[in-house]
Amino acid sequence: MSETEEATNSGTMVPTDPGSLKDNFLLQSLEEDVIEALEGLCHWEVASEGARIFDRTDTRTDVYFIVSGSVRVLDHSKSGQEVAFSDIPAGEVFGELSAIDKAARSATVYALEETVVAYVSGEAFVEFLSRHPEMSLRMMTHFVRTIRTLNSRVVGLSSMTNVQRVYSEILNMAEPDPQSPGHWMVSKMPQHMEIAVWAGTTPDTVARSIGQLLKVEIAKRRNKTLYILDRQRLKDLIHAS
């Protein structure tokens, strides 16, 4: 069992008091009484960090609104390696695909931190979409954004080597170093397992890849900070054929 699988087995989900959905992007243009009607149909739960909300074997079609906290969507490659698709923050929804096409879940979702969710049956969700065109339009915009993001992820995962994907994730995390113009830094380097999930590889590969950057002086590490000394050389490694 991987570290992430252990985490998703360790959390809990318990009922909590009803809250508000007014900050959810899908509902921002709806009248208050309409939002309240939807809130009344929801079940409210709080998921502890690491709690699995559902996986791809789940046959339910409930749609989840994230009231606070955040969740991660991931799946497994043919080799069993965990691959993260996206992190979803408060104010967003997930689970809507199964509500619309009645098919099985397409991925596993778990709480990245303590997270409050409200969920409604797929049938009720689709009915709300049909009765409120502005909500449907927001849903279509959401689908377009999701498709574009996933397309970029698929291209990256399929066209790069494991090491290149690790370097790409590091580059994505890096920010300009305020103390050293022209240099970049990752101020709080995640654990190797965290990077591995996003890069679709193993923690050992992450460790070796970072070690190589240090060896050739493209980067240096001080405590939890990784300093990128030559960002262009790092980009060249990512795009090397």
Side-chain angles (χ1 to χ4, degrees):
M1 180 180 294
S2 70
E3 293 178 24
T4 304
E5 287 174 322
E6 289 176 355
T8 55
N9 283 331
S10 64
T12 59
M13 295 187 65
V14 296
T16 190
D17 295 332
S20 174
L21 297 178
K22 64 180 180 62
D23 293 329
N24 191 275
F25 83 98
L26 275 181
L27 310 177
Q28 290 176 3
S29 60
L30 300 183
E31 297 294 332
E32 186 174 341
D33 59 336
V34 176
I35 297 176
E36 290 177 351
L38 180 58
E39 290 169 349
L41 296 175
C42 287
H43 301 274
W44 301 76
E45 292 186 338
V46 58
S48 62
E49 180 181 351
R52 179 179 295 161
I53 299 174
F54 63 69
D55 62 28
R56 63 181 308 128
T57 64
D58 194 324
T59 59
R60 297 181 303 172
T61 61
D62 299 330
V63 177
Y64 291 78
F65 301 87
I66 307 176
V67 180
S68 65
S70 58
V71 303
R72 172 163 294 173
V73 182
L74 59 82
D75 204 351
H76 294 79
S77 66
K78 290 182 179 179
S79 65
Q81 176 63 46
E82 293 172 343
V83 181
F85 288 152
S86 63
D87 289 345
I88 308 177
E92 298 278 347
V93 300
F94 62 93
E96 71 281 359
L97 297 182
S98 293
I100 292 174
D101 67 6
K102 303 297 189 297
R105 301 296 191 185
S106 58
T108 296
V109 178
Y110 73 92
L112 282 172
E113 57 190 310
E114 183 174 274
T115 300
V116 175
V117 295
Y119 65 92
V120 64
S121 71
E123 292 79 5
F125 179 76
V126 171
E127 181 185 359
F128 261 80
L129 287 180
S130 66
R131 290 196 285 114
H132 300 285
E134 63 273 39
M135 186 176 172
S136 295
L137 181 58
R138 287 179 182 268
M139 191 78 259
M140 285 190 289
T141 302
H142 166 71
F143 283 147
V144 170
R145 183 180 62 196
T146 300
I147 291 169
R148 290 185 184 277
T149 299
L150 291 180
N151 182 64
S152 178
R153 287 284 294 152
V154 169
V155 170
L157 289 171
S158 62
S159 62
M160 297 179 183
T161 66
N162 290 339
V163 173
Q164 287 174 319
R165 292 198 296 270
V166 171
Y167 291 161
S168 180
E169 292 301 327
I170 291 174
L171 188 63
N172 288 338
M173 291 185 289
E175 298 177 344
D177 183 350
Q179 304 300 322
S180 183
H183 290 182
W184 289 63
M185 62 186 290
V186 181
S187 59
K188 294 182 180 179
M189 275 291 287
Q191 294 182 352
H192 291 166
M193 182 62 194
E194 176 79 3
I195 299 174
V197 169
W198 282 102
T201 187
T202 65
D204 286 345
T205 298
V206 174
R208 289 195 301 270
S209 301
I210 294 175
Q212 183 62 24
L213 292 181
L214 302 179
K215 181 178 179 180
V216 299
E217 298 184 343
I218 291 177
K220 68 177 181 180
R221 190 159 190 171
R222 184 179 302 150
N223 299 323
K224 293 184 177 181
T225 300
L226 183 74
Y227 294 92
I228 309 299
L229 306 179
D230 194 331
R231 187 167 181 262
Q232 185 57 53
R233 286 177 66 193
L234 179 58
K235 293 175 68 175
D236 290 343
L237 289 176
I238 294 171
H239 299 294
S241 58

